[in-house]
Short mmCIF file of all heavy atoms in Angstrom, two decimals:
data_model
loop_
_atom_site.label_atom_id
_atom_site.label_comp_id
_atom_site.label_asym_id
_atom_site.label_seq_id
_atom_site.Cartn_x
_atom_site.Cartn_y
_atom_site.Cartn_z
N GLU Q 529 -4.28 6.65 -33.61
CA GLU Q 529 -3.50 7.04 -34.80
C GLU Q 529 -2.30 7.89 -34.37
O GLU Q 529 -1.18 7.78 -34.80
CB GLU Q 529 -4.28 7.83 -35.84
CG GLU Q 529 -5.41 7.05 -36.56
CD GLU Q 529 -6.55 6.78 -35.64
OE1 GLU Q 529 -6.93 7.56 -34.78
OE2 GLU Q 529 -7.08 5.64 -35.79
N ASP Q 536 6.12 5.05 -34.37
CA ASP Q 536 6.93 4.89 -35.55
C ASP Q 536 8.23 5.63 -35.45
O ASP Q 536 9.22 5.12 -36.14
CB ASP Q 536 6.15 5.39 -36.76
CG ASP Q 536 5.10 4.37 -37.21
OD1 ASP Q 536 5.20 3.33 -36.73
OD2 ASP Q 536 4.08 4.83 -37.94
N GLY Q 540 13.75 10.73 -29.25
CA GLY Q 540 13.75 12.17 -29.06
C GLY Q 540 12.40 12.71 -28.71
O GLY Q 540 12.24 13.90 -28.44
N GLY Q 551 4.28 14.33 0.32
CA GLY Q 551 5.45 13.87 1.00
C GLY Q 551 6.06 12.58 0.54
O GLY Q 551 7.27 12.45 0.45
N HIS Q 554 3.01 7.05 -3.56
CA HIS Q 554 2.18 5.96 -3.34
C HIS Q 554 1.94 5.16 -4.66
O HIS Q 554 2.42 5.58 -5.71
CB HIS Q 554 0.79 6.36 -2.68
CG HIS Q 554 0.04 7.41 -3.40
ND1 HIS Q 554 -0.53 7.21 -4.67
CD2 HIS Q 554 -0.14 8.73 -3.22
CE1 HIS Q 554 -1.03 8.22 -5.01
NE2 HIS Q 554 -0.84 9.26 -4.17
N THR Q 560 2.08 5.36 -12.93
CA THR Q 560 2.44 6.16 -14.04
C THR Q 560 4.04 6.25 -14.24
O THR Q 560 4.50 6.31 -15.37
CB THR Q 560 1.90 7.65 -13.98
OG1 THR Q 560 2.08 8.05 -12.57
CG2 THR Q 560 0.42 7.69 -14.39
N GLU Q 573 12.26 10.80 -24.35
CA GLU Q 573 12.75 11.67 -23.24
C GLU Q 573 11.59 11.93 -22.29
O GLU Q 573 10.47 12.07 -22.78
CB GLU Q 573 13.12 13.07 -23.83
CG GLU Q 573 14.44 13.17 -24.63
CD GLU Q 573 14.71 14.41 -25.29
OE1 GLU Q 573 14.05 15.39 -24.93
OE2 GLU Q 573 15.54 14.44 -26.19
N LEU Q 577 6.96 16.68 -14.15
CA LEU Q 577 6.58 18.04 -13.70
C LEU Q 577 6.21 17.93 -12.20
O LEU Q 577 5.29 17.27 -11.86
CB LEU Q 577 5.44 18.57 -14.51
CG LEU Q 577 4.82 19.98 -13.95
CD1 LEU Q 577 5.80 21.04 -14.05
CD2 LEU Q 577 3.59 20.19 -14.63
N LEU Q 638 -10.74 32.82 -21.10
CA LEU Q 638 -11.76 33.49 -21.97
C LEU Q 638 -12.55 32.32 -22.67
O LEU Q 638 -13.69 32.54 -23.08
CB LEU Q 638 -11.11 34.42 -22.88
CG LEU Q 638 -10.78 35.76 -22.37
CD1 LEU Q 638 -9.99 36.55 -23.35
CD2 LEU Q 638 -11.97 36.56 -21.96
N ALA Q 645 -14.64 23.63 -16.67
CA ALA Q 645 -13.47 23.55 -15.88
C ALA Q 645 -13.72 22.75 -14.65
O ALA Q 645 -12.94 21.89 -14.19
CB ALA Q 645 -12.95 24.97 -15.54
N ASP Q 656 -16.56 19.49 -1.62
CA ASP Q 656 -17.75 19.76 -2.29
C ASP Q 656 -17.71 21.10 -3.02
O ASP Q 656 -18.42 21.25 -4.02
CB ASP Q 656 -18.93 19.72 -1.36
CG ASP Q 656 -19.08 18.43 -0.71
OD1 ASP Q 656 -18.73 17.39 -1.30
OD2 ASP Q 656 -19.54 18.33 0.49
N VAL Q 678 5.86 18.80 -24.88
CA VAL Q 678 5.79 17.40 -24.94
C VAL Q 678 4.89 16.79 -26.10
O VAL Q 678 4.02 17.49 -26.48
CB VAL Q 678 5.38 16.85 -23.52
CG1 VAL Q 678 6.44 17.05 -22.54
CG2 VAL Q 678 3.99 17.39 -23.05
N ASP Q 679 5.27 15.64 -26.47
CA ASP Q 679 4.52 14.97 -27.45
C ASP Q 679 3.41 14.07 -26.99
O ASP Q 679 2.46 13.66 -27.70
CB ASP Q 679 5.47 14.08 -28.42
CG ASP Q 679 6.60 15.00 -28.92
OD1 ASP Q 679 6.34 15.77 -29.89
OD2 ASP Q 679 7.72 14.92 -28.41
N GLY Q 684 -3.08 9.12 -14.95
CA GLY Q 684 -4.12 8.19 -14.55
C GLY Q 684 -5.43 8.54 -15.20
O GLY Q 684 -5.61 9.72 -15.68
N THR Q 707 -1.62 14.50 -27.59
CA THR Q 707 -1.79 13.06 -27.60
C THR Q 707 -1.65 12.58 -26.11
O THR Q 707 -0.84 12.97 -25.44
CB THR Q 707 -0.70 12.40 -28.51
OG1 THR Q 707 -0.70 12.99 -29.66
CG2 THR Q 707 -0.99 10.91 -28.57
N GLU Q 742 2.99 -6.40 3.90
CA GLU Q 742 2.44 -7.74 4.10
C GLU Q 742 1.04 -7.73 4.70
O GLU Q 742 0.11 -8.44 4.26
CB GLU Q 742 3.38 -8.58 5.00
CG GLU Q 742 3.45 -10.04 4.69
CD GLU Q 742 4.43 -10.79 5.54
OE1 GLU Q 742 5.40 -10.13 6.04
OE2 GLU Q 742 4.18 -11.88 5.80
N ASP Q 755 -12.39 -10.88 -12.60
CA ASP Q 755 -13.59 -10.26 -12.97
C ASP Q 755 -14.70 -10.56 -11.91
O ASP Q 755 -15.62 -11.25 -12.27
CB ASP Q 755 -14.03 -10.67 -14.38
CG ASP Q 755 -14.97 -9.76 -15.04
OD1 ASP Q 755 -15.19 -8.74 -14.51
OD2 ASP Q 755 -15.62 -10.18 -15.96
N GLU Q 763 -22.40 -2.13 -7.31
CA GLU Q 763 -21.14 -1.46 -7.67
C GLU Q 763 -20.11 -2.50 -8.23
O GLU Q 763 -20.03 -3.55 -7.79
CB GLU Q 763 -20.55 -0.92 -6.33
CG GLU Q 763 -21.29 0.30 -5.90
CD GLU Q 763 -20.61 1.00 -4.70
OE1 GLU Q 763 -20.77 0.41 -3.61
OE2 GLU Q 763 -19.86 1.93 -4.88
N ARG Q 765 -16.81 -4.39 -9.08
CA ARG Q 765 -15.62 -4.78 -8.23
C ARG Q 765 -14.57 -5.23 -9.20
O ARG Q 765 -14.80 -5.78 -10.33
CB ARG Q 765 -15.93 -5.95 -7.44
CG ARG Q 765 -16.59 -5.66 -6.06
CD ARG Q 765 -16.53 -6.95 -5.33
NE ARG Q 765 -17.63 -7.20 -4.44
CZ ARG Q 765 -17.63 -6.81 -3.19
NH1 ARG Q 765 -16.56 -6.24 -2.69
NH2 ARG Q 765 -18.66 -7.08 -2.34
N GLU Q 766 -13.32 -4.96 -8.69
CA GLU Q 766 -12.04 -5.45 -9.38
C GLU Q 766 -11.46 -6.40 -8.41
O GLU Q 766 -11.71 -6.29 -7.21
CB GLU Q 766 -11.17 -4.29 -9.76
CG GLU Q 766 -11.86 -3.16 -10.60
CD GLU Q 766 -11.78 -3.64 -12.03
OE1 GLU Q 766 -11.08 -4.58 -12.49
OE2 GLU Q 766 -12.59 -2.92 -12.81
N TYR Q 775 -0.14 -4.31 -13.07
CA TYR Q 775 0.34 -2.95 -13.37
C TYR Q 775 1.62 -2.61 -12.63
O TYR Q 775 2.18 -1.59 -12.93
CB TYR Q 775 -0.79 -1.93 -13.06
CG TYR Q 775 -2.03 -2.25 -13.88
CD1 TYR Q 775 -3.28 -2.46 -13.20
CD2 TYR Q 775 -1.94 -2.43 -15.18
CE1 TYR Q 775 -4.46 -2.78 -13.93
CE2 TYR Q 775 -3.14 -2.75 -15.98
CZ TYR Q 775 -4.27 -2.92 -15.31
OH TYR Q 775 -5.44 -3.31 -16.03
N GLN Q 791 5.03 -29.58 0.11
CA GLN Q 791 3.78 -30.28 0.23
C GLN Q 791 2.58 -29.65 -0.44
O GLN Q 791 1.54 -30.35 -0.62
CB GLN Q 791 3.51 -30.62 1.73
CG GLN Q 791 2.83 -29.46 2.46
CD GLN Q 791 3.67 -29.11 3.77
OE1 GLN Q 791 4.90 -28.85 3.65
NE2 GLN Q 791 3.01 -28.91 4.80
N ALA Q 816 -3.90 -16.88 -1.09
CA ALA Q 816 -2.97 -16.61 0.04
C ALA Q 816 -1.44 -16.67 -0.47
O ALA Q 816 -0.65 -15.82 -0.15
CB ALA Q 816 -3.13 -17.66 1.22
N ALA Q 831 11.50 -0.76 -1.50
CA ALA Q 831 12.57 -0.65 -0.47
C ALA Q 831 13.60 0.54 -0.72
O ALA Q 831 14.02 1.31 0.19
CB ALA Q 831 13.33 -2.03 -0.37
N ARG Q 834 12.08 3.73 0.23
CA ARG Q 834 11.89 3.74 1.69
C ARG Q 834 13.20 4.16 2.41
O ARG Q 834 13.18 5.00 3.21
CB ARG Q 834 11.43 2.40 2.21
CG ARG Q 834 11.15 2.39 3.73
CD ARG Q 834 10.44 1.01 4.09
NE ARG Q 834 11.25 -0.14 3.63
CZ ARG Q 834 10.63 -1.20 3.11
NH1 ARG Q 834 9.34 -1.25 2.88
NH2 ARG Q 834 11.43 -2.17 2.75
#
Side-chain angles (χ1 to χ4, degrees):
E529 291 70 38
D536 283 343
H554 55 69
T560 40
E573 286 172 16
L577 172 67
L638 282 170
D656 298 331
V678 291
D679 303 285
T707 305
E742 211 181 332
D755 196 15
E763 284 185 283
R765 274 193 213 265
E766 303 281 345
Y775 304 124
Q791 83 236 47
R834 182 170 55 221

